Amino acid sequence: MKAVSKTDLYRKLPSLDELVHNQELASLVSQEGQSAVNDSARAVLARIREEITAGRLDAEGVDLALSGIISAIERELRQSLAYSLRTVINATGVILHTNLGRAPLPGSAFQHIHEIAGNYSNLEFEIDKGARGRRDIHVDRLFRRLLSEELAAASPIHDVSTIVVNNNAAAVLLVLNTLAEGGEVIVSRGELVEIGGSFRIPEVMTKSNAILREVGTTNRTRLADYESAITDKTRLLLRVHRSNFQITGFTEQPRVEELVALARRRNIPLLEDLGSGALFDLRSVGVNDEPGVLESLRSGVDVVTYSGDKLLGGPQAGILSGRRDLITRMRANSLFRALRVDKLTYAALEATLLAYVKHDHDAIPILRMMRLSKEDIGKRAKVIVEKIRRPDLSVNIMDGESVIGGGAAPSAVLPTTLVAVTSKTLTADELAARLRASNPPIIARVEDAQVLLDLRTVFAEQDVMVTMALQQI
Ligand SMILES: *Cc1c(COP(=O)(O)O)cnc(C)c1O
């Protein structure tokens, strides 16, 4: 082979201008625009030039690269214009997976978003009066219907008002700042939690300008501990749902009713950070230890905070429900303005709450998933297993457990049926990586050297994609 100088090799390359006006790129230009095509062509040319500089391409190599340059530009363009945020199939069986976006929205929620997002709306406008309105009324009316009307007039708090901020961390910040700035908040040492993604009670307390007054010990806190910590600086009693851990053994914690009684006696509001905040009675799916929003308010807690995208099954939001006079003070805090949510969140939340009003629990994906029986899931698993004909894969059905996740009911598990996959040639981690490389990516669990797929969190219409991915590994 005749040696060709690098200069000669560079000379073989077309100019950018020549390249981007190639007829073969014309349809790409009309689809995606000249400027995006130019960027991709520039990147591809630069890569070839680098290869030449590094001495990795000879004359033949350059010819080969040039023969494939149009498809290389097309690939580069597709990659550079692809969304970073994309759909995945959640086969982990963790219903509220914070890394996978927590609750998928009900169909009615994204239809409502679609309609509101692309148009003007009455977000802050009273149509009958032709005057400025408030954005929080759209969901407050539904919360009132779901909460106030359910709370008997005899319950200590029945006139419940609700506002919404960006997430539950923001909700806690807003209450602490509104009700306890410059004063003290009493919390049990057993409840000074950190929740995934660095939400830490002591740090939120500092940011809100309230002073944390810890009482009790990690495992035992008595009512008397709260009582003796109350001074004229005390502004709030705080109870926090432990969410992601349990304390077992020699433990003690006052019942919420006892804390309510103490709060009343000393005229100090009681705040409960519920975390998940179920509006649905989870006892019907065998989860007994997750306090609901109604239950907490019915016991007499003055304000509760909870997430919109955990057990409620709606969009990311922090919801504050409670005594009207206290909620009114929070609405007046300038932090409320800084933490406010946009019309898309209101649209999604309104649609989700309407499903609750109609008792249409199957419309809410996470509730539907929670209510699936092990047998329902087993039938779907069987269909998949029977379709896989691969001598190198062993695909079996086994019993297992799904978890709720998202800091809800940490000890609760739901019995499920799993598809267990092992390969003769790949390790379980390699197999899981192959599943993640399929389109859409499939996220599975790896346990005891097997890949485990839990169809509870897979939408039934995605079963066929799971089958195909297993077939094509
Ligand atoms: C999840 C959780 C939070 C944080 O809620 P985000 O909506 O993620 O901000 C706060 N407190 C508790 C008890 C939680 O479980």
Side-chain angles (χ1 to χ4, degrees), residues 371-388:
R371 282 142 51 95
L372 288 176
S373 73
K374 180 180 149 182
E375 290 72 31
D376 296 333
I377 298 166
K379 278 187 209 140
R380 289 166 49 197
K382 202 155 161 264
V383 172
I384 292 184
V385 168
E386 282 168 0
K387 283 201 184 122
I388 309 294

Side-chain angles (χ1 to χ4, degrees), residues 281-316:
D281 193 345
L282 292 171
R283 281 170 298 201
S284 64
V285 291
V287 176
N288 298 314
D289 55 356
E290 182 64 28
V293 175
L294 266 172
E295 204 180 329
S296 181
L297 291 170
R298 202 178 277 130
S299 326
V301 173
D302 296 284
V303 178
V304 294
T305 61
Y306 48 104
S307 296
D309 55 354
K310 290 187 182 172
L311 284 172
L312 194 110
Q316 178 188 305

